[in-house]
């Protein structure tokens, strides 16, 4: 017995000593061109100077691997992945004094393959699924070149960008937009228009953000990463754009204006880099004109002797749009030491966006179906309506990062923003007895109108914002990391509004002073346990908001007078959880859930009465409260050869939902409003009226049938439901929505590529109607005669399908339809563009860069 015990004891001690004398090899694998992490790469460990395989591993989502339980000795590591050259690292020695070998960042170069005497680059994925986001490679969407960030987003699955630049995903709007990992106070629709698509490297779509990101934005977060120049010395890039649809140029019969459907622009970017610093700057200008038409019918319930409804119909009115943006940026990145980095950056943007609406309305009283028309009340009205919006934006950023001992990092960042926002809207009405009278009065500048009403308005809403955040992160061990941080965000909008309307009986000029401060703190813990990786986090936010109105005697759309001051103070907790499990080398399962908030924008809060069209006024509601969102997603991803497939099931529920709602100003429904405005029209606003849910699935496919073809298809199918109460009427609507988007890249040769994409979006319900289906297709041919030149010819909306329709209606508490509006926007197409980019590097050497833990989350 003693002998057996002694033997067992010796075996135990030998095993313990042998185990204790083992080390590990670890590294992070990235793409040498984009610096993006390379997941699922194969790692093989060999004994030095032999072909004997000792161990191996597969890199994780963030490109990391760790080969453990390695006996002391000398090894060779081979790292390979489909489409990349194998990287071999020799003479890695593990000893008792140095048991762990950290190879740092290992770059893989794209593989050059020979195919029928044509040399082409191997294909990379259009989209990649990570534990908390989907990452899209912007260069694959060649038809968006020459446009802006909104043009790229509109090609991604489940994402829709309307003509005003408003982003929605799976029926939910209000995204936060980050630029290079930094949040901004600039309105997302404005910021997306300011970022040139040529400068975008990748886009992260984070529908379930972790706790370290702002809880604001019920739709989630979109992070746009711009291209970085890693070359030493001086690098210059110049681009130009020319295009349009000259066959769609028009001269409006009523305004006499030339309506040109053209677009042009250009810019440059300069980078100068040395060992310890990088200077950069750039300027871009873009002008885009879009011609189109609008047709519509509208009626409001009046219950008058002349007819039950007052009708306002417009047919094929010219509706040109223009988008003029120019931006400038400059910055410097300084490596103070191997562990410290300091960055300064400045961004300036200027825009003039707007639209004109040259409509001739036919107005009359009749039944709902336009029968029994009262010809004695029929009139025609010409409405030249021009809406110009101006903006000037400046943002200053300073960032400081330091890598601390024990695998820790600390980062501080501050940003100061100023925006000068203004708007000018002129909306005149000229009334005539017949349509012929309108046509005959063109040359007389409408001097013979039987009635002329002058409508104009302007606002000025400058914004000031300040943001400060500090983040600390420490790697507890080789498998787990803890992070924490705090943030303060301050925003102030002090604006004024001036209204001129010959019919309104009340002075509607007003001022607004909105101050919002959000104090936040978070903590998260991320770890890997075998095949399971997870991130658990909790964010706390305290919101302090004060809104002051200069005038309280205003338009009582919701049945109560305005108050001078509205104060909202609220403390909230926002938990989040993300799990990723590697079922096998080719199969992965991820699960995520979070809670978020959406605080109303000043556009929805400000009680400024806009006359949007002849038949529509718009006014905000200062009593709006925040919306709260709960969402969950589960994704299964698998790969077959070079192709990958992912299926995501999702639930998104919003409580206290803000609906865009409409009512009427007729005497029988709103006598007080009718007395103030003196018209029978629609009035639109926003209110917390109920809740909405989206439940469904999304399928993404990266298919690489050969080295010269890459296909990406993304589609979603979900049920969208809205429940609530609008002006005393119960709303309960739902629709089965779907979207299908595809992108095909063909590498004809190493110099010539062809791209085709399409988008199909189904009907979807709104709180008071529906938006119609939408389709569009685009093509692009890119030619790169050398590394310096990139020439692209693009055809947008090649089948002239860019039509967008919407229907709106509402009922009162008696179930009587009080208004109906049907609108169709037709934008002219196809449009062709020619884009040219020339890049020059004076040195040609790659600069070695060191990154920090605090920056890894947008890798």
């Amino acid at each position: 017995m003693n002998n057996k015990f002694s033997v067992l004891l010796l075996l135990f001690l030998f095993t313990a000593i042998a185990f204790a004398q083992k080390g590990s090899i670890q590294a992070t694998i990235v793409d040498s061109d984009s610096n993006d992490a390379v997941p699922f790469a194969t790692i093989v460990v060999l004994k030095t100077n032999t072909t004997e395989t000792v161990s191996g591993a597969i890199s994780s989502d963030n490109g990391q691997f760790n080969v453990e339980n390695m006996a002391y000795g000398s090894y060779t590591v081979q790292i390979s992945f489909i489409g990349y050259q194998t990287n071999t690292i020799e003479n890695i020695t593990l000893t008792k004094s140095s048991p762990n070998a950290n190879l740092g960042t290992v770059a893989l170069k794209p593989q050059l393959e020979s195919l029928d005497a044509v040399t082409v680059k191997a294909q990379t994925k259009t989209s990649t699924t990570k534990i908390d986001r989907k990452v899209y490679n912007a260069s694959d969407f060649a038809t968006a070149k020459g446009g802006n960030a909104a043009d790229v987003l509109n090609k991604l699955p489940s994402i829709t960008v309307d003509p005003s630049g408003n982003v929605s995903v799976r029926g939910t709007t209000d995204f936060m937009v980050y630029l290079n990992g930094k949040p901004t106070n600039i309105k997302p629709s404005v910021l997306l228009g300011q970022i040139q698509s040529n400068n975008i490297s990748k886009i992260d779509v984070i529908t379930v953000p972790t706790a370290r990101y702002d809880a604001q934005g019920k739709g989630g977060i979109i992070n746009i990463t711009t291209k970085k120049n890693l070359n030493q010395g001086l690098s210059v890039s110049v681009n130009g754009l020319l295009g349009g649809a000259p066959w769609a140029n028009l001269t409006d019969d009523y305004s006499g204006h030339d309506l040109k459907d053209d677009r042009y622009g250009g810019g440059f970017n300069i980078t100068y880099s040395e060992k310890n610093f990088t200077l950069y700057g750039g300027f871009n200008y873009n002008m885009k004109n879009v011609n189109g038409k609008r047709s519509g019918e509208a009626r409001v319930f009046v219950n008058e002797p002349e007819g039950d409804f007052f009708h306002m119909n417009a047919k094929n009115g010219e509706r040109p749009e223009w988008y003029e943006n120019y931006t400038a940026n400059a910055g410097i990145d300084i490596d103070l030491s191997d562990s410290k980095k300091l960055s300064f950056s400045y961004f300036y943007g200027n825009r003039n966006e707007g639209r004109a609406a040259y409509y001739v309305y036919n107005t009359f009283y009749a039944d709902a179906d336009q029968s029994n028309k009262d010809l004695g009340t029929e009139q025609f009205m010409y409405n030249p309506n021009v809406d110009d919006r101006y903006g000037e934006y400046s943002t200053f950023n300073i960032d400081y990062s330091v890598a601390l001992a024990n695998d820790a990092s600390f980062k501080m960042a501050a940003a100061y923003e100023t925006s000068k926002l203004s708007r000018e809207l002129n909306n005149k009405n000229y009334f005539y007895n017949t349509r012929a009278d309108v046509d005959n009065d063109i040359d007389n500048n409408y001097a013979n109108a039987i009635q002329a009403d002058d409508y104009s308005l302007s606002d000025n809403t400058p914004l000031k914002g300040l943001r400060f955040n500090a983040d600390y992160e420490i790697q507890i061990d080789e498998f787990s990391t803890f992070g924490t941080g705090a943030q303060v965000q301050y925003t102030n909008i002090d604006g004024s509004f001036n209204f001129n309307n010959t019919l309104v009986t009340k002075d509607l000029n007003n001022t607004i002073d909105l101050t919002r401060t959000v104090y936040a703190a978070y903590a998260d813990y991320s770890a890997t346990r075998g095949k399971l990786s997870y991130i658990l986090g909790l964010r706390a936010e305290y919101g302090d908001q004060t809104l002051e109105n200069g005038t309280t005697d205003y338009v009582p759309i919701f049945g109560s007078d305005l108050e001078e001051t509205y104060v909202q103070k609220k403390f909230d907790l926002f938990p989040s959880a993300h799990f990723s499990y590697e079922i096998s080398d080719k199969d992965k399962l991820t699960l995520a859930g979070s809670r978020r908030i959406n605080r109303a924008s000043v556009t929805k809060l400000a009680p400024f009465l806009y006359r949007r069209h002849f038949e529509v006024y718009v006014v905000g509601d200062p009593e709006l409260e925040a919306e709260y969102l709960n969402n969950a997603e589960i994704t299964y991803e698998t790969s077959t050869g070079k192709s990958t497939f992912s299926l995501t099931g999702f639930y998104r529920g919003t409580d206290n939902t803000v609906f865009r709602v409409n009512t009427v100003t007729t005497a029988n429904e709103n006598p007080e409003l009718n007395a103030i405005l003196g018209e029978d029209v629609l009035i639109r606003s926003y209110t917390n009226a109920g809740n909405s849910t989206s439940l469904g699935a999304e399928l993404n496919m990266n298919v690489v049938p050969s080295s010269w073809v890459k296909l990406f298809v993304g589609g979603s199918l979900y049920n969208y439901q809205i429940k609530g109460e609008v002006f005393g009427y119960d709303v309960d609507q739902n629709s089965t929505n779907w979207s299908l988007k595809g992108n095909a890249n063909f590498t004809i040769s190493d110099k010539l590529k062809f791209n085709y994409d399409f988008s199909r979006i189904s009907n979807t319900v709104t709180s008071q109607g529906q938006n119609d289906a939408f389709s569009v297709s685009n093509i692009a041919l890119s030619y790169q005669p050398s590394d310096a030149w990139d020439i692209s010819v693009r055809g947008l909306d090649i089948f002239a399908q860019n039509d967008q329709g919407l229907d709106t209606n509402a009922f009162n508490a008696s179930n009587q339809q009080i208004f109906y509006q049907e609108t169709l926007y037709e934008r002219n197409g196809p449009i062709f563009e020619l884009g040219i980019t020339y890049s020059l590097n004076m040195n040609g050497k790659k600069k070695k860069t060191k990154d920090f833990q605090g920056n890894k989350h947008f890798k």
Side-chain angles (χ1 to χ4, degrees), residues 48 78 260 656 667:
T48 297
Q78 293 179 347
K260 295 185 180 297
N656 209 29

Side-chain angles (χ1 to χ4, degrees), residues 254 360 378-382 430-444 446-450:
Y254 298 98
V360 176
E378 184 176 27
Q379 283 187 324
F380 290 83
M381 189 275 293
Y382 173 56
Y430 302 97
F431 290 89
Y432 299 85
N433 289 323
T434 67
R435 175 63 183 262
D437 291 338
V438 183
D439 298 338
N440 294 334
D441 204 28
I442 294 175
D443 295 332
N444 294 321
Y446 310 102
N448 296 324
I450 60 174

Side-chain angles (χ1 to χ4, degrees), residues 131-132 208-211 533-536 576-580 591-594:
I131 190 171
D132 65 338
V208 187
T210 63
S533 299
Y534 57 89
I535 305 173
L536 303 176
S576 64
H578 295 72
F579 300 91
S580 178
L591 175 66
S594 71

Side-chain angles (χ1 to χ4, degrees), residues 24-29 38-46 53-61 63-70 76-81 103 108 479 528 530-531 582 584-586:
S24 66
I25 301 173
Q26 55 189 288
T28 300
I29 306 171
V38 178
F40 310 119
T42 300
I43 295 90
V44 177
V45 182
L46 310 171
T53 300
V54 177
S55 186
I58 299 294
S59 63
S60 63
D61 278 352
Q64 296 179 348
F65 74 85
N66 186 26
V67 182
E68 301 178 288
N69 298 327
M70 298 290 299
T76 296
V77 173
Q78 293 179 347
I79 303 173
S80 61
F81 187 66
L103 307 182
L108 295 184
F479 304 109
T528 299
K531 296 183 177 181
E582 295 182 5
S584 68
D585 292 347
K586 298 181 179 180

Side-chain angles (χ1 to χ4, degrees), residues 67 191 216 353 639 817:
V67 182
L191 181 62
Q216 170 70 18
E353 298 181 0
S639 60
Q817 187 185 66

